[in-house]
Amino acid sequence: MTISDILDRHRATEGALLPILHDVQAAFGFVSEEAMRTIALALNLTRAEVHGVVSFYHDFKTTPDKQPTLKLCRSEACQARGVEALVADLPEAAQAKVKTIYCLGLCSVGPAALVEGEVHARLDAAKLQALVAAL
Ligand code: FES
């Protein structure tokens, strides 16, 4: 998969920037400066316009992840379902790998987490510890 393949796939798509950025990140793990220049040229945008979109959305990365993280929802519904107790049960080193986010849209089946684009719901202590250990 190359950036050209991704651009070809979305050539006829209206509002293609976000789908292209998602596909680039899915393929390469991040959106490089070179990719932003190539995308801008293909979509007749400035590099600043593409960079503005990439930097606006926190889930787009401009450098490769050194270590995968687990994004754990600690918003109200997941709090009501016991997420804070799950975090407290994690060893300190494991807690460092957990990044807090607020709501994955899985409120009715929380506590919920996101790992490498895959969602995990109905977490209990054992499931959360297994996910962190697998990072
Ligand atoms: S509050 Fe946790 S997924 Fe919505």
Side-chain angles (χ1 to χ4, degrees), residues 108-129:
S108 65
V109 291
L114 183 68
V115 182
E116 299 296 303
E118 187 176 329
V119 292
H120 300 270
R122 300 185 200 281
L123 293 176
D124 57 23
K127 287 180 185 174
L128 182 59
Q129 288 178 16

Side-chain angles (χ1 to χ4, degrees), residues 73 75-78 103-107 112:
C73 174
S75 197
E76 287 82 359
C78 287
C103 199
L104 288 163
L106 298 169
C107 314

Side-chain angles (χ1 to χ4, degrees), residues 1-11 24 28 38 42:
M1 174 76 60
T2 67
I3 291 177
S4 291
D5 295 334
I6 294 169
L7 291 169
D8 286 344
R9 187 182 323 144
H10 294 286
R11 199 156 298 279
V24 168
F28 305 107
T38 303

Side-chain angles (χ1 to χ4, degrees), residues 18 21-22 25 29-31 50-63 65 69 71 99-102 114:
L18 277 176
L21 291 173
H22 281 291
Q25 179 144 308
F30 68 107
V31 183
V50 175
H51 187 270
V53 172
V54 170
S55 61
F56 180 79
Y57 294 103
H58 296 284
D59 278 337
F60 287 130
K61 297 172 181 49
T62 56
T63 56
D65 261 348
T69 55
K71 296 176 182 175
K99 183 177 176 183
T100 297
I101 59 171
Y102 295 99
L114 183 68

